[in-house]
């Protein structure tokens, strides 16, 4: 199989300033993978002709296909055509059908067209022009020094239309691509990235097809498996075999695949065990239950939550005893234990989970910032409470506490 390597370049200073996110590159990469085309580089460059030309020159030396988004509009800072002219020497001409479409648009709007709008109809001589059905500037495909260049507007709706209707079919034909690239994302909780990589070192060292890539994310660790094959069936078989080998080593930490989140998995387990859950949240302030109720169908398993931030709420609403608070404090194993049981009783749930601790910026009750207690109660069983010492700022500690609650709950529910 001939390997075809692609590069995506986005042009626009607004991307560098963070005013908008470069979602185009992500979407284009996904589409190219479905057509068996590797994407090796993503680039973003501001509206400066020399810098754009320099980025184009580098791409020309290393990529078989370069897809450029943005810089095709009517204003002076739309410089994509001019930059490519510097490295290619190609002439730019006005594309009649596109110009007619632009003029017709202004006529329908009863608006006088300013002269700079003619710029949007300019294309490279000899290029394959793809009419823009949802905007003005057309797309172009140009072959220069054995590299295929694709120029597209930066507006996502226009870009996607041009890619689907014109670019992808033409690329498939030109490149004679008959293989596919498919990926699985395996999701893990309760194991760090370095530990996961250590456990899988032998498999990672021998990887070829599929490739194995461990990645740390805010809600756990994932492994991305990517396979290239002649068909979906063959690619999926390769992925399944590698997945089985991975789970044979670290399956105890695995909870789902692809888009399945830990909260989706928890809702599924609660439903299958006919359990309902309630939470008592102090430092997390509802973060745990907010993630849970984001899952469709969570109402079947979620009774509700009590945000008991102040000690008076713990006493008067959750009925944590004065003796517990006076003797051990609100940030304690004993308080977390009563919070978990009492919230389950109050909201008539079979499982209660509690969070209490110190998110900062100052210590509480002599406990340092980062001290967290999480309690889990299940009807008819003794509560379990775990103490943690989290590092990070206030928000990080709160996020990590909520995630650790999911880890504890997952461990309990899967037996």
């Amino acid at each position: 199989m001939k390997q075809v390597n692609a590069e995506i370049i986005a042009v626009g200073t607004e991307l560098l300033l963070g005013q908008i996110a470069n979602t185009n590159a992500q979407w284009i990469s996904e589409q190219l993978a479905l057509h068996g085309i590797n994407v090796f580089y993503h680039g973003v460059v501001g509206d400066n002709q020399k810098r754009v030309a320099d980025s184009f020159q580098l791409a020309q030396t290393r990529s078989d296909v370069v897809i450029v988004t943005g810089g095709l509009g009517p204003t002076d800072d739309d410089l994509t055509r001019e930059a490519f002219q510097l490295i290619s020497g190609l002439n730019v001409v006005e594309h009649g059908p596109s110009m007619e479409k632009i003029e017709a648009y202004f006529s329908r709007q009863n608006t006088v067209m300013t002269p700079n709008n003619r710029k949007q109809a300019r294309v490279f001589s000899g290029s394959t022009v793809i009419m823009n059905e949802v905007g003005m500037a057309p797309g172009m495909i140009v072959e220069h020094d054995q590299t295929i260049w694709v120029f597209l507007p930066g507006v996502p709706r226009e870009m996607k239309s041009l890619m689907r209707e014109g670019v992808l079919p033409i690329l498939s034909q030109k490149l004679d691509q008959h293989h596919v690239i498919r990926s699985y994302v395996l999701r893990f909780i309760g194991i760090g990235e370095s530990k996961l990589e250590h456990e899988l070192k032998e498999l990672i060292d021998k990887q070829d097809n599929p490739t194995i890539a461990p990645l740390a994310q805010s809600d756990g660790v994932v492994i991305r498996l990517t396979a290239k094959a002649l068909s979906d069936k063959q690619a999926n078989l390769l992925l399944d075999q590698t997945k089985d080998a991975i789970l044979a080593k670290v399956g105890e930490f695995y909870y789902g695949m692809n888009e399945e989140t830990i909260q989706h998995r928890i809702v599924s387990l609660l439903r299958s065990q006919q359990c309902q859950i309630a939470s008592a949240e102090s430092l997390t302030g509802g973060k745990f239950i907010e993630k849970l109720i984001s899952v469709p169908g969570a109402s079947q398993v979620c009774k509700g939550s009590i945000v008991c931030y102040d000690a008076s709420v713990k006493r008067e609403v959750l009925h944590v005893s004065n003796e517990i608070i006076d003797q051990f404090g609100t940030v304690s194993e004993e308080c977390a234990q009563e919070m978990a049981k009492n919230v389950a009783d109050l909201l008539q749930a079979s499982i209660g989970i509690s969070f209490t601790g110190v998110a900062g910026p100052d210590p509480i009750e002599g406990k340092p910032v980062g001290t967290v207690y999480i309690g889990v109660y299940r009807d008819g069983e003794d509560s379990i409470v775990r103490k943690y010492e989290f590092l990070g700022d206030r928000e990080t500690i709160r996020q990590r506490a909520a995630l650790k609650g999911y880890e504890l709950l997952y461990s309990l529910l899967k037996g």
Side-chain angles (χ1 to χ4, degrees), residues 32-291:
L32 293 179
L34 293 175
H35 288 74
I37 299 172
N38 302 294
V39 176
F40 280 6
Y41 303 98
H42 282 188
V44 179
V45 59
D47 298 310
N48 176 280
Q49 185 170 316
K50 182 180 185 305
R51 288 194 289 270
V52 175
D54 287 346
S55 70
F56 287 177
Q57 189 68 61
L58 177 60
Q60 177 75 49
T61 66
R62 65 189 184 185
S63 299
D64 303 304
V65 178
V66 182
I67 297 180
V68 182
T69 62
L72 299 179
T75 60
D76 289 341
D77 62 353
D78 290 306
L79 299 168
T80 292
R81 298 177 190 84
E82 291 79 357
F84 190 67
Q85 271 191 296
L86 288 178
I87 74 164
S88 68
L90 293 175
N91 291 326
V92 176
V93 297
E94 187 173 282
H95 184 241
S98 293
M99 192 64 246
E100 290 173 8
K101 185 175 184 295
I102 294 169
E103 289 174 334
Y105 168 81
F106 283 99
S107 177
R108 287 195 305 272
Q109 300 298 315
N110 292 318
T111 303
V112 176
M113 186 188 78
T114 56
N116 58 354
N117 278 284
R118 303 193 74 92
K119 182 178 179 182
Q120 296 185 89
R122 292 174 66 77
V123 300
F124 293 110
S125 178
S127 64
T128 300
V129 180
I130 307 168
M131 289 295 291
N132 187 342
E133 300 301 331
V134 295
M136 293 191 183
M140 294 174 276
I141 299 179
V142 182
E143 295 188 46
H144 174 65
D145 284 352
Q146 299 182 318
T147 295
I148 298 174
W149 287 81
V150 179
F151 297 94
L152 300 169
V155 178
R157 185 168 63 100
E158 298 179 30
M159 177 277 295
K160 290 178 181 179
S161 174
L162 289 163
M163 280 288 293
R164 289 192 187 103
E165 302 303 320
V167 175
L168 290 171
I170 292 172
L171 285 182
S172 294
Q173 183 179 28
K174 284 181 175 291
L175 299 172
D176 194 27
Q177 292 297 101
H178 298 297
H179 54 279
V180 298
I181 299 173
R182 295 291 180 267
S183 292
Y184 283 177
V185 174
L186 309 182
R187 299 185 176 277
F188 300 83
I189 196 167
I191 185 171
E193 182 184 14
S194 58
K195 175 67 172 175
L196 185 68
E197 187 169 350
H198 174 75
E199 295 295 327
L200 300 176
K201 187 176 187 308
E202 183 179 353
L203 291 174
I204 293 173
D205 287 346
K206 294 179 180 179
Q207 68 174 313
D208 178 27
N209 186 25
T211 58
I212 304 171
L215 305 166
Q217 296 189 341
S218 61
D219 57 351
V221 182
V222 305
I223 291 177
R224 187 186 67 240
L225 304 179
T226 304
K228 179 180 283 190
L230 293 172
S231 66
D232 284 338
K233 183 177 180 181
Q234 185 180 359
N236 289 336
L237 178 61
L238 290 169
L239 291 168
D240 286 339
Q241 290 172 342
T242 305
K243 175 187 172 184
D244 290 344
I246 289 171
L247 297 190
K249 293 180 177 292
V250 291
E252 64 184 295
F253 304 104
Y254 171 76
Y255 70 81
M257 193 169 79
N258 294 334
E259 300 304 315
E260 185 177 21
T261 63
I262 187 60
Q263 55 264 33
H264 279 85
R265 184 70 176 128
I266 292 295
V267 167
S268 177
L269 286 169
L270 288 169
R271 187 183 294 122
S272 67
Q273 296 179 29
Q274 297 183 320
C275 291
Q276 291 183 308
I277 190 170
S279 69
E281 303 190 51
S282 184
L283 86 157
T284 49
K287 284 185 176 294
F288 173 87
I289 210 70
E290 191 279 331
K291 288 172 71 73

Side-chain angles (χ1 to χ4, degrees), residues 252-392:
E252 64 184 295
F253 304 104
Y254 171 76
Y255 70 81
M257 193 169 79
N258 294 334
E259 300 304 315
E260 185 177 21
T261 63
I262 187 60
Q263 55 264 33
H264 279 85
R265 184 70 176 128
I266 292 295
V267 167
S268 177
L269 286 169
L270 288 169
R271 187 183 294 122
S272 67
Q273 296 179 29
Q274 297 183 320
C275 291
Q276 291 183 308
I277 190 170
S279 69
E281 303 190 51
S282 184
L283 86 157
T284 49
K287 284 185 176 294
F288 173 87
I289 210 70
E290 191 279 331
K291 288 172 71 73
L292 194 69
I293 62 177
S294 69
V295 179
S299 59
Q300 300 174 34
V301 298
C302 178
K303 295 289 284 189
S305 177
I306 295 176
V307 177
C308 47
Y309 200 62
D310 189 80
S312 64
V313 181
K314 296 179 178 70
R315 296 176 192 266
E316 297 165 16
V317 178
L318 270 181
H319 307 309
V320 176
S321 68
N322 289 327
E323 291 79 10
I324 289 290
I325 293 179
D326 292 343
Q327 183 176 352
F328 301 103
T330 59
V331 182
S332 65
E333 176 182 341
E334 291 77 10
C335 186
Q337 187 174 34
E338 278 212 8
M339 287 168 60
K341 183 179 187 307
N342 291 1
V343 77
D345 291 343
L346 282 168
L347 300 185
Q348 298 181 325
S350 50
I351 295 176
I353 186 167
S354 66
F355 302 84
T356 184
V358 188
D362 302 312
I364 296 176
E365 301 172 353
K367 306 289 174 57
V369 172
T371 302
V372 173
Y373 291 90
I374 304 175
V376 180
Y377 166 80
R378 191 164 191 172
D379 190 23
E381 300 178 10
D382 292 334
S383 300
I384 60 170
V385 180
R386 297 287 184 267
K387 178 185 178 182
Y388 302 96
E389 299 288 344
F390 295 132
L391 299 176

